Amino acid sequence: MTEFSFACTGVRADRFAAGPTLVFRLRVTAAGNARVHALALRCQIRIEPARRTYDSAEAEGLGDLFGERSRWGSTLQPVQFAQVSLMVPSFTGEIEADLVVPCTYDMDIAATRYLTALADGEVPLLMLFSGTAFTGDGGFQVEPVPWDREAAFRMPVATWREMVEQHFPGCGWIRLPGDTMDALLAYRSRHALPSWEATLKALLDAGGAEDPPRSDPFRALTGTTGRTDP
C-alpha cells in the first residue's frame, strides 16, 4: 500500500465566497515518489482547546462551553469544527491542494462560540484524514487511506475574524424559533420600527423602564398571535 502523509501549510479567508469560507492549503505526500491517479479524501477538523492558554476575558467567554476554569481538566474536550470532502487530482510524489471549508456564524454552534470568545493568538486544530486512493504506475489499483492519517495546524484567530468581518461587518446572529420571529415582526409592525436593531432596542428600553413597574417584554411579545401588515 502507498504510504500517505499530510500537512497543512496555511489558511486564508476566501473573500470572493458567497458565505463565510476558509481555505486551508494542504500538502499531500505519497512515499516513494508513487504515482497517484486521484485521491478522494474525507477530512474531519477538530478544535483542541486544551492545546492553548486563555486569559481571564477569554475564560469568561468560554464559561458556557467548558464551565468554570477549575473544571477545565475534565471539560476542555475537542470541539467539532468541520467535515468536508476533497478530490485531489493526479500527481506523482507530492502535491498541494486547497481544502475549502464553509463556516457559520451561528452562535448556537459550539465551534463558533469558541472562536468568537478568543481575542488573539492561534486556534489549535487537528485534521483527521481518510478516503480512497487510485494508484499505480503501469496499471490501476484502489487503496484505502488509513484512518490514522492526521495533521496538526494552528490557525491564527485573526484569519477567522477577517472572514467574519468580510461577510458580517460589525454584526452578530441570533437564531430564533419561527413563532418568536412572527411575534417580533408583529411587534415591529405595530410600532412602525424601521429595523430589527430598533425593534430590539425598544424591547430592551421597555424592559428597563422603572415607571410603570418593570415587566418582561419578551413574555408579552411571545404571547402575540399572528402578524400585522407593515
Side-chain angles (χ1 to χ4, degrees):
M1 289 179 57
T2 305
E3 184 76 14
F4 289 98
S5 59
F6 301 88
C8 183
T9 61
V11 63
R12 59 181 172 84
D14 188 348
R15 60 184 302 179
F16 301 110
T21 303
L22 292 172
V23 181
F24 293 87
R25 191 66 174 171
L26 289 184
R27 179 183 298 128
V28 184
T29 303
N33 207 35
R35 170 69 171 166
V36 180
H37 301 290
L39 188 59
L41 281 180
R42 293 183 297 273
C43 179
Q44 181 181 150
I45 305 177
R46 296 178 183 172
I47 298 171
E48 299 204 308
R51 294 191 175 183
R52 63 159 283 166
T53 59
Y54 305 90
D55 61 29
S56 57
E58 291 173 333
E60 183 177 353
L62 294 171
D64 65 330
L65 284 178
F66 305 121
E68 297 294 330
R69 193 188 282 266
S70 60
R71 299 175 52 208
W72 282 12
S74 59
T75 63
L76 220 60
Q77 299 298 318
V79 176
Q80 180 79 357
F81 180 61
Q83 189 159 329
V84 293
S85 298
L86 173 66
M87 181 61 72
V88 180
S90 174
F91 68 96
T92 299
E94 186 175 280
I95 191 174
E96 290 197 357
D98 286 339
L99 180 68
V100 179
V101 179
C103 301
T104 178
Y105 197 39
D106 186 344
M107 293 300 289
D108 283 345
I109 305 300
T112 303
R113 296 208 306 277
Y114 174 85
L115 291 163
T116 303
L118 303 184
D120 205 352
E122 297 174 327
V123 183
L125 300 178
L126 182 65
M127 298 180 170
L128 306 172
F129 298 95
S130 62
T132 304
F134 304 90
T135 63
D137 289 324
F140 190 87
Q141 62 188 39
V142 179
E143 304 177 17
V145 176
W147 283 90
D148 62 352
R149 304 295 91 178
E150 62 183 43
F153 180 68
R154 301 187 73 86
M155 177 179 72
V157 173
T159 303
W160 166 266
R161 294 193 174 277
E162 176 189 352
M163 179 199 70
V164 171
E165 283 298 310
Q166 285 174 0
H167 294 275
F168 311 118
C171 297
W173 287 95
I174 300 176
R175 184 170 63 179
L176 298 173
D179 57 348
T180 304
M181 284 300 302
D182 287 343
L184 277 170
L185 180 57
Y187 181 91
R188 176 178 173 178
S189 298
R190 285 197 310 274
H191 294 81
L193 297 166
S195 66
W196 290 116
E197 180 182 3
T199 302
L200 292 176
K201 187 175 186 302
L203 286 165
L204 291 171
D205 290 344
E210 295 182 0
D211 185 22
R214 186 185 181 106
S215 61
D216 185 346
F218 285 98
R219 178 173 297 176
L221 175 67
T222 54
T224 305
T225 58
R227 63 172 70 181
T228 60
D229 293 332

